[in-house]
Amino acid sequence: MSDTPAPFAFVEAGADAACRGALDRADRLRDDPDALKSRWPTSRVILLDEKGNAYADAEGRLLAITGHDVSEGPGGVGAAVFLGLDPHDTAWFALEGALTALDAPRRVDLRSAAASWPAFDASVFAQARALQHWRSRHRYCGVCGGEVALSRAGWQGTCTKCGVEHYPRTDPAVIVAVTDGSRLLLGRQAAWPARRYSVLAGFVEPGESLEQTVAREVLEETGVRVRRCRYMASQPWPFPGSLMLGFHAEAEPDQPQVDDELEEARWFTADDVRRARQRGEWGSTQDDGEGPVLSPSISISRWLIERWLAEHGGA
């Protein structure tokens, strides 16, 4: 199993070090505009375009400029979202704006950044993108239709008509590696690249525990009955705003029967999974032209597969 850190950090059950994020969110400063204003000139600002791409330099690296450089630019501190403080106590903000090709030669989408940027940069980008998505889709109150005014450094919206408060939301979803004791259950959607398989996943429904979601989703998608499950790790999945809660589950050796969500679901042996890992993420290395290709290494789905394989004789 690779020791490369995930771009959107995993938080394993019982892993104390993993409980620290890229930034100290510094909630105490969100209600202190004077403190934020004083930090603005020396802050770092990640700029996003209207599509949610981050501006980057000629090598494709994150272009985070100082607040002083945009103090007279698109909005300044009042329109920027305060993200938090880095380990050097430098404030980080996110701002939607526009730069010329001379100022920022490239724009990078979040998936590309997750696959190639350092974990810190990718995590800051993910936080900024998720907040941008929430703000762009919550300009009006869902209760009365009134216009929503932002406060708390971009982390709260208040309806100007009825006063209802709105906050950034994260949708919980389970993702589960299902085993019958010797085999791993993997499925694929029709829209995925050829031969791509992954573990199963689904959103938590109202009034449902995580364990109940695991059992329901697996049964609905494949007809396989889960006996028990255990929590493994979590990963923020800001595409645009989910939290993936990873599980390993033990199930009956039922024959998979797919519904309309999956094109196919199959049991795979540990040898099958080892060979799939050797093929690479796109089947480009040691490719025999057959068999499954596993989910990308940036995802918790791949991490769950690797953990299962390690428990069943993998390297």
Side-chain angles (χ1 to χ4, degrees):
M1 179 177 145
S2 172
D3 292 327
T4 303
F8 311 131
F10 296 122
V11 179
E12 290 187 64
D16 294 339
C19 292
R20 294 190 293 271
L23 294 173
D24 171 8
R25 301 296 179 99
D27 179 81
R28 63 191 179 279
L29 295 180
R30 295 175 185 173
D31 285 319
D32 193 341
D34 291 336
L36 294 179
K37 186 176 181 180
S38 68
R39 289 176 175 269
W40 177 254
T42 59
S43 68
R44 303 297 300 280
V45 183
I46 175 172
L47 290 165
L48 307 181
D49 67 15
E50 70 281 358
K51 295 181 179 179
N53 300 314
Y55 288 97
D57 63 18
E59 284 72 42
R61 298 170 300 194
L62 174 64
L63 184 65
I65 58 183
T66 65
H68 175 75
D69 293 331
V70 291
S71 60
E72 301 300 328
V77 68
V81 176
F82 173 60
L83 301 177
L85 305 176
D86 67 18
H88 303 290
D89 199 44
T90 299
W92 281 72
F93 292 85
L95 188 64
E96 185 175 313
L99 292 177
T100 67
L102 180 63
D103 295 326
R106 298 181 60 180
R107 302 184 190 187
V108 178
D109 66 87
L110 185 52
R111 288 185 182 274
S112 298
S116 60
W117 283 5
F120 177 90
D121 293 352
S123 295
V124 171
F125 183 9
Q127 182 185 355
R129 177 67 185 95
L131 283 164
Q132 181 197 40
H133 183 271
W134 170 71
R135 290 174 58 160
S136 68
R137 283 158 176 77
H138 292 81
R139 296 174 179 174
Y140 299 95
C141 179
V143 178
C144 72
E147 188 172 355
V148 171
L150 294 171
S151 60
R152 301 204 74 236
W155 288 85
Q156 178 180 317
T158 303
C159 177
T160 57
K161 185 176 180 180
C162 70
V164 168
E165 296 176 351
H166 301 268
Y167 298 91
R169 60 172 296 161
T170 297
D171 297 317
V174 300
I175 183 164
V176 52
V178 181
T179 182
D180 66 355
S182 61
R183 300 178 298 175
L184 180 66
L185 182 64
L186 299 176
R188 63 168 277 104
Q189 296 181 12
W192 289 355
R195 299 159 48 206
R196 171 65 53 79
Y197 284 82
S198 183
V199 296
L200 307 181
F203 286 100
V204 180
E205 293 188 348
E208 191 174 51
S209 70
L210 299 178
E211 293 80 4
Q212 290 168 341
T213 304
V214 168
R216 175 183 56 76
E217 284 288 344
V218 174
L219 184 65
E220 288 179 356
E221 294 187 4
T222 67
V224 173
R225 296 165 293 167
V226 169
R227 294 198 302 265
R228 62 182 64 87
C229 63
R230 72 183 191 275
Y231 171 74
M232 298 295 294
S234 66
Q235 182 186 30
W237 197 246
F239 301 108
S242 299
L243 176 64
M244 306 298 290
L245 301 154
F247 285 82
H248 275 185
E250 299 174 19
E252 303 291 345
D254 300 321
Q255 181 64 31
Q257 302 290 331
V258 297
D259 64 0
D260 57 356
E261 291 189 44
L262 296 179
E263 180 183 63
E264 184 184 13
R266 294 168 49 192
W267 291 107
F268 292 89
T269 66
D271 285 339
D272 293 332
V273 177
R274 289 191 194 96
R275 287 193 291 270
R277 183 172 59 179
Q278 292 173 345
R279 294 185 185 100
E281 294 182 8
W282 300 100
S284 59
T285 60
Q286 301 183 33
D287 194 352
D288 54 16
E290 299 177 356
V293 175
L294 301 179
S295 47
S297 57
I298 69 168
S299 63
I300 190 174
S301 59
R302 179 61 176 270
W303 184 86
L304 289 169
I305 292 171
E306 296 283 358
R307 287 298 297 262
W308 177 86
L309 187 59
E311 294 178 2
H312 289 76

